[in-house]
Amino acid sequence: MRTVLISGAGVAGTALAYWLHRYGFAVTVVERSPALRAGGQAVDFKGKTHLTVLERMGILDDVRARRTGTTDLVFVDDSGHELAVMSGEFTGGDLEILRGDLAEIMYEKTADTVEYVFGDTITDLHDTGDVVAVRFENSPPRTFDLVLGADGIHSRVRKLAFGPESDYVAHLGYYYCVAGTRSSDPTTDKATGHAHNTPGKLAVDGGPKAPQMYLFASPELDYPRNDPAAQRRIITETFTDMGWHTPRMLTDLTDFDDIHLDSLSQVRMNGTYTRDRTALIGDAAYGNTLAGFGTGLAIVGAYVLAGELASATDDHVTAYDNYNRIMKRYAKIAGNSNTGPFLAPKTPRGIKLRNWFLGSRLFTVMMKYGDKAANDIDLLDYPTLAETAPHVN
């Protein structure tokens, strides 16, 4: 039985674990966090392609049962008067769910058949040509036939197998912060989110993604990503002079244990997501923060990578080539877009133009283009487990 190590137990990692086990691989998932991450911001799926993959995984009904209620985002002036509306249809897609709930659903599908190692991380990879020798921070060294990085935009696997993050990740000039966990029960949350801009800044109270969200223009910052107190200080210092509801929001910020501050960044792999026996999927391979397609790309990428590995039997080189070809084309949906200037324009004129655009027919056209791009792939019917018997001793 071929052995596979997946780094990351988020959406991409658990989806990949599901498919690889189904195809007869022996799967180990290593996750830095001490347990599965609960809650998180809301994520969404758009169109037939995404829903088809969920259906083939047998989790579509489970996701629908735990879906959140899509909500509009209303942009307001300093006095709270409405200026523009971003519809819940756009922000929530066809099916919206909390990221942690989605990962939990997929984890439950694999917990009894996949080895999960929490509270650990990879520290070194050595590809011998026949196997990958892996060292961990806490666990003893092991070897695997393949190593797959599903560990996000700041991927440890990508750094070890491909090179430093600065070679593959471009900072897009903005930072965002989500604070608190939105409930999957829409009756317990504000039905509508409200957003206020000043040049280069956006504060969101309630709404589609989390109880609070902030976005601001900034050069790259040096701060500890695992230190919530440091992240709160950055948000407080950046937004302390903003009016509207922001003073109250900053006071409430101290009550949230779940806070995440990160840059808007784009991963640029030039369509090559594999090297030797290592491959990347999800944000590690084709991430573009807040571009709106990350979760869909992750589940489609997991479906394609696992299916190609199953189809190619013991020929991972062919499987990787096919995966690169298919996902290079499909990952274009994330594009070179940067949502920062749209959500937090740097000038008063830019804010006015954005508000006008949201009420125009052009915005409707953009929504339809996004839906079409999300379905721009022909999903193959990959082999059944019986047809992949060579994987199993």
Side-chain angles (χ1 to χ4, degrees), residues 154 165-166 169-175 217-223 263-265:
H154 303 293
E165 181 171 306
S166 58
V169 180
H171 175 60
L172 300 181
Y174 282 80
Y175 280 81
S218 172
E220 290 191 72
L221 302 174
D222 183 14
Y223 68 97
S263 63
L264 294 195
S265 298

Side-chain angles (χ1 to χ4, degrees), residues 1-16:
M1 183 180 292
R2 284 201 292 173
T3 57
V4 177
L5 174 66
I6 299 171
S7 176
V11 172
T14 51
L16 189 57

Side-chain angles (χ1 to χ4, degrees), residues 16 127 146-149 157-158 161-163 168 269-281 284-286 301 304-306 308-309 315-328:
L16 189 57
D127 193 317
L146 302 172
V147 173
L148 309 176
V157 171
R158 188 185 59 234
F162 291 80
Y168 298 99
M269 302 295 296
N270 296 319
T272 302
Y273 315 115
T274 63
R275 177 166 292 178
D276 300 324
R277 289 180 170 269
T278 300
L280 305 173
I281 73 161
Y286 18 80
V304 171
L305 178 55
E308 292 297 333
L309 286 168
D315 184 4
H316 74 277
V317 175
T318 297
Y320 281 1
D321 286 346
N322 290 337
Y323 166 69
N324 284 326
R325 173 179 51 80
I326 294 169
M327 291 307 297
K328 178 181 181 180

Side-chain angles (χ1 to χ4, degrees), residues 9-11 14 36-37 97-110 116:
V11 172
T14 51
L36 199 68
R37 296 178 182 179
I97 184 172
L98 296 182
R99 183 184 299 276
D101 287 354
L102 177 62
E104 183 179 3
I105 288 170
M106 292 190 287
Y107 171 75
E108 290 173 351
K109 288 282 186 181
T110 58
Y116 281 89

Side-chain angles (χ1 to χ4, degrees), residues 69 71-72 182 186-194 205-208 211 245 248:
T71 61
D72 293 340
R182 186 180 171 196
T187 64
T188 65
D189 280 310
K190 297 180 181 179
T192 300
H194 292 86
D205 189 16
H245 295 173
R248 188 264 303 159

